[in-house]
């Protein structure tokens, strides 16, 4: 651990490398790593240079030649764009650096902390020379630390009070400063490994349970490789999920008991349609979707091939009024069917939660600062494709705005010198800022104040940057009741 004065929790910033490691592969390759490392430190091993004295590896050597490879054998990726950061910063009174911090790809939430020690650092010993069980002794040491006990009075000898303080400080700091609950923590010298199965319970809240402290010694690493894999591998803690799964695939990722919440969502495909001779126009196809939240913060999107529904008005044959009613109703029927089918697969009565309960997708790189959490997630392999969480609603648009407003017309806004743009938008616009609903239609907004203020709030700007907020189901999320100044809608 190093200490400095700079700030902020940081880890690898780019998207992690996708890789899958099986238990069998880990067991085989871990055994090879152990054999190769043993050979490198044997008495007859080749010295680092001519005349060099043999000795135990120090912390850096242990990390570079043993732990770095172990981390990657477990499915984590080091380096730029990886999901296992080295020397991740955690701001406190001073800035501390966590040796390794693995994160879950979708949410960027920490999943595994590894504190590395030098090869020759002694395993846990009691201060009093007496028989002991290591997990129970370590639990006593943690309880002593949690009550503010000093190192000199700790039941654990040597540097172990400091080790407890390091790991406990990281776990508590992640919770206190960032609201993050760490699922797993580990201390290792390479000769021994200590895994805290529930770091929050051990170091922050609840009672230390010695059965949730797992200890591995080098002579047993090969025999216990399977248990180690399911404790600290990426597959166990932060398995990457596909962009979407079918209802029949859900049980490969979640169980009935691990589903914490579900949310209605839509899958949106934005396309350019028509001949370039006459001018291409946007064509927006919408499909029902569902997002399940697991106990480990996994967000799993459920999709099933269904009839596409074009986001477009239907004109009433008698009144000539424009309405999104038929489109919204189609989506609602498809959403109900998908919800029922998903519930059947899980043997669970699913009740969608409101968007206020949704934690938000990972904020995507290069996005401007926003005051709202992201409810939309891009398809990383297909441009202009998104999953948009809608909560208890089944669409992000309403059949119509919830109030009458004259500012759907550019000409009215222009009279009060608050018109967005130099002229009315009479045709849908493909280039940014995109516009689907044109001037004077019920879902169009032409008011400059609203357009300016919504830039850091709008969830669907990539589809229609001029959508009337009162015609969108996210209005209460983007514009809470205490928003000041109030919107000019309806005036």
């Amino acid at each position: 651990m190093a200490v400095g004065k700079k700030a902020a929790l940081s880890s690898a910033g780019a998207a992690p490398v996708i890789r899958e490691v099986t238990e069998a592969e880990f067991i085989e390759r871990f055994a090879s790593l152990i054999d190769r490392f043993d050979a490198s430190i044997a008495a007859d091993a080749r010295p680092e240079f001519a005349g060099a004295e043999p000795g135990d590896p120090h912390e850096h050597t242990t990390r570079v030649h043993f732990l770095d490879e172990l981390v990657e054998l477990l499915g984590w990726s080091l380096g730029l764009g990886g999901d296992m950061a080295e020397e991740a910063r955690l701001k406190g009174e001073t800035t501390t650096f966590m040796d390794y911090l693995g994160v879950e790809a979708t949410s960027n939430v920490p999943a595994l902390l590894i504190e590395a020690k030098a090869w020759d650092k002694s395993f846990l010993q009691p201060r009093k020379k007496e028989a002991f069980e290591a997990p129970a002794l370590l639990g006593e040491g943690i309880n002593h630390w949690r009550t503010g006990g000093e190192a000199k009075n700790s039941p654990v000898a040597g540097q172990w009070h400091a080790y407890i303080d390091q790991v406990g400080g990281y776990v508590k700091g992640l919770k206190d400063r960032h609201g993050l609950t760490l699922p797993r923590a580990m201390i290792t010298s390479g000769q021994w490994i200590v895994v805290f199965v529930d770091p929050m319970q051990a170091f922050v809240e609840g009672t230390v349970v010695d059965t949730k402290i797992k200890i591995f010694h080098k002579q047993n690493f090969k025999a216990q490789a399977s248990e180690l894999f399911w404790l600290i591998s990426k597959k166990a803690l932060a398995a990457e999920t596909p962009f979407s799964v079918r209802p029949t695939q859900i049980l490969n990722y979640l169980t009935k008991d691990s589903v914490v919440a579900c949310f209605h969502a839509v899958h949106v495909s934005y396309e350019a349609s028509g001949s370039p001779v006459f001018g291409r126009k946007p064509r927006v196809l919408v499909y029902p979707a569902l997002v399940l939240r697991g106990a480990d913060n996994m967000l799993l999107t459920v999709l099933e091939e269904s009839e596409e529904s074009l986001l477009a008005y239907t004109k009433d044959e008698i009144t000539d009024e424009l309405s999104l009613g038929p489109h919204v109703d189609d989506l609602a029927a498809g959403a109900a069917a998908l919800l029922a089918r998903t519930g059947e697969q899980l043997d669970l009565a699913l009740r969608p939660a409101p968007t206020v309960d949704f934690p938000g997708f990972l904020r995507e790189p290069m996005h401007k600062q926003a005051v709202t959490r992201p409810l939309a997630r891009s398809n990383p392999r297909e441009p202009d494709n998104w999953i948009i969480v809608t909560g208890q609603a089944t669409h992000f648009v309403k059949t119509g705005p919830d109030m009458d407003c004259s500012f759907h017309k550019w000409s009215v806004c222009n009279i009060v010198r608050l018109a967005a743009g130099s002229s009315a938008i009479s045709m849908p616009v493909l280039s940014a800022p995109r516009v689907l609903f044109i001037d004077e239609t019920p879902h169009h907004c032409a008011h400059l104040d609203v357009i300016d203020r919504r830039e850091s709030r709008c969830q669907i700007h990539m589809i229609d940057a001029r959508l009337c907020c009162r015609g969108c189901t996210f209005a209460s999320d983007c514009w809470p009741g205490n928003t000041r100044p109030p919107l000019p809608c309806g005036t």
Side-chain angles (χ1 to χ4, degrees):
M1 179 189 76
V3 178
K5 294 183 180 178
K6 292 193 177 180
L9 170 68
S10 83
S11 60
V17 177
I18 297 175
R19 57 179 300 185
E20 180 74 25
V21 176
T22 67
E23 178 186 358
E25 288 171 336
F26 171 73
I27 292 172
E28 178 183 352
R29 294 171 186 174
F30 187 34
S32 173
L33 170 61
I34 294 167
D35 292 341
R36 286 184 285 111
F37 195 79
D38 281 348
S40 73
I41 61 174
D44 59 351
R46 182 177 180 177
E48 295 173 313
F49 58 90
E53 295 292 329
D56 288 329
H58 49 67
E59 180 182 333
H60 178 73
T61 302
T62 302
R63 287 180 59 174
V64 170
H65 297 298
F66 185 80
L67 291 182
D68 281 6
E69 187 167 343
L70 173 58
V71 161
E72 295 204 328
L73 291 181
L74 288 161
W76 304 96
S77 299
L78 295 165
L80 293 175
D83 49 24
M84 178 67 76
E86 296 181 87
E87 302 297 339
R89 293 175 294 158
L90 179 62
K91 178 183 176 182
E93 294 180 2
T94 56
T95 297
T96 55
F97 294 83
M98 297 172 279
D99 289 339
Y100 297 85
L101 187 69
V103 299
E104 198 276 329
T106 304
S107 64
N108 209 34
V109 170
L112 172 65
L113 165 72
I114 301 177
E115 180 65 21
K117 302 303 172 188
W119 184 264
D120 63 350
K121 293 300 181 182
S122 300
F123 183 63
L124 183 72
Q125 292 292 327
R127 186 168 297 278
K128 297 178 180 179
K129 301 301 180 184
E130 57 188 16
F132 70 98
E133 293 290 335
L137 175 62
L138 188 51
E140 291 173 18
I142 294 171
N143 281 329
H144 177 80
W145 171 80
R146 284 179 61 173
T147 55
E150 297 181 357
K152 64 182 181 181
N153 300 319
S154 175
V156 296
Q159 296 179 289
W160 276 84
H161 182 82
Y163 297 169
I164 291 169
D165 185 55
Q166 280 181 348
V167 176
Y170 294 147
V171 175
K172 193 171 187 302
L174 287 168
K175 181 65 175 178
D176 292 348
R177 293 163 206 146
H178 303 281
L180 299 171
T181 299
L182 186 70
R184 203 80 82 237
M186 164 180 155
I187 310 174
T188 180
S189 72
Q191 294 205 78
W192 45 261
I193 296 172
V194 177
V195 178
F196 298 95
V197 179
D198 190 342
M200 279 295 296
Q201 184 181 41
F203 293 101
V204 180
E205 54 194 31
T207 305
V208 182
V209 180
D210 55 23
T211 57
K212 291 189 176 181
I213 300 174
K214 301 294 183 181
I215 294 173
F216 304 83
H217 293 282
K218 183 172 170 293
Q219 62 267 31
N220 298 319
F221 280 176
K222 292 181 182 180
Q224 295 178 300
S226 176
E227 184 179 5
L228 197 61
F229 178 82
W230 289 111
L231 280 172
I232 59 174
S233 69
K234 177 178 174 178
K235 185 172 184 177
L237 294 174
E240 293 176 17
T241 56
F243 181 70
S244 66
V245 299
R246 297 183 295 277
T248 48
Q249 295 175 305
I250 294 171
L251 293 176
N252 295 327
Y253 301 92
L254 290 170
T255 65
K256 172 182 179 179
D257 295 332
S258 66
V259 175
V260 173
C262 79
F263 306 88
H264 280 305
V266 290
H267 169 44
V268 178
S269 179
Y270 187 100
E271 305 169 357
S273 176
S275 168
V277 175
F278 307 115
R280 292 186 180 277
K281 301 178 181 66
R283 183 170 182 262
V284 180
L285 303 176
V286 188
Y287 305 80
L290 198 66
V291 173
L292 302 177
R293 182 185 177 194
D296 57 356
N297 292 315
M298 174 192 287
L299 296 174
L300 186 68
T301 298
V302 185
L303 274 177
E304 192 160 48
E305 187 172 358
S306 60
E307 287 294 323
E308 62 193 36
S309 185
L310 181 66
L311 178 52
Y313 285 122
T314 299
K315 182 182 287 188
D316 189 281
E317 294 180 358
I318 300 174
T319 65
D320 281 345
E321 289 185 353
L322 299 176
S323 174
L324 289 178
H327 168 73
V328 172
D329 290 345
D330 282 349
L331 259 292
L338 180 63
L339 183 70
R341 183 154 161 74
T342 301
E344 288 173 0
Q345 296 299 314
L346 286 165
D347 189 26
L348 192 63
L350 294 172
R351 295 180 178 83
T355 52
V356 69
D357 293 339
F358 185 68
F361 289 118
L362 179 64
R363 197 170 299 282
E364 297 181 2
M366 307 307 292
H367 275 203
K368 294 181 180 179
Q369 187 65 32
V371 298
T372 53
R373 69 204 180 289
L375 298 179
R377 175 193 177 196
S378 298
N379 185 338
R381 293 176 177 82
E382 293 290 341
D384 290 336
N385 268 248
W386 305 275
I387 295 296
I388 304 175
V389 170
T390 54
Q392 291 177 323
T394 56
H395 206 313
F396 59 83
V397 293
K398 301 175 184 176
T399 55
D402 57 14
M403 65 167 58
D404 292 329
C405 181
S406 59
F407 295 135
H408 296 163
K409 297 181 180 181
W410 183 90
S411 59
V412 174
C413 296
N414 194 45
I415 291 171
V416 294
R417 298 185 178 181
L418 287 171
S422 58
S423 62
I425 296 175
S426 58
M427 295 289 288
V429 180
L430 275 169
S431 57
R434 290 171 168 175
V435 179
L436 182 64
F437 299 109
I438 62 173
D439 192 61
E440 299 192 20
T441 58
H443 288 79
H444 181 79
C445 177
H447 199 289
L448 182 61
D449 282 1
V450 178
I451 303 306
D452 285 346
R453 292 177 62 194
R454 66 187 277 172
E455 189 171 347
S456 62
R457 299 173 183 270
C458 186
Q459 301 282 356
I460 49 85
H461 60 89
M462 64 287 191
I463 300 168
D464 190 339
R466 297 289 184 86
L467 179 70
C468 169
C469 295
R470 295 290 185 174
C472 177
T473 56
F474 297 139
S476 59
D477 288 87
C478 300
W479 305 101
N482 58 354
T483 299
R484 292 292 181 271
L487 294 177
C489 309
T491 57

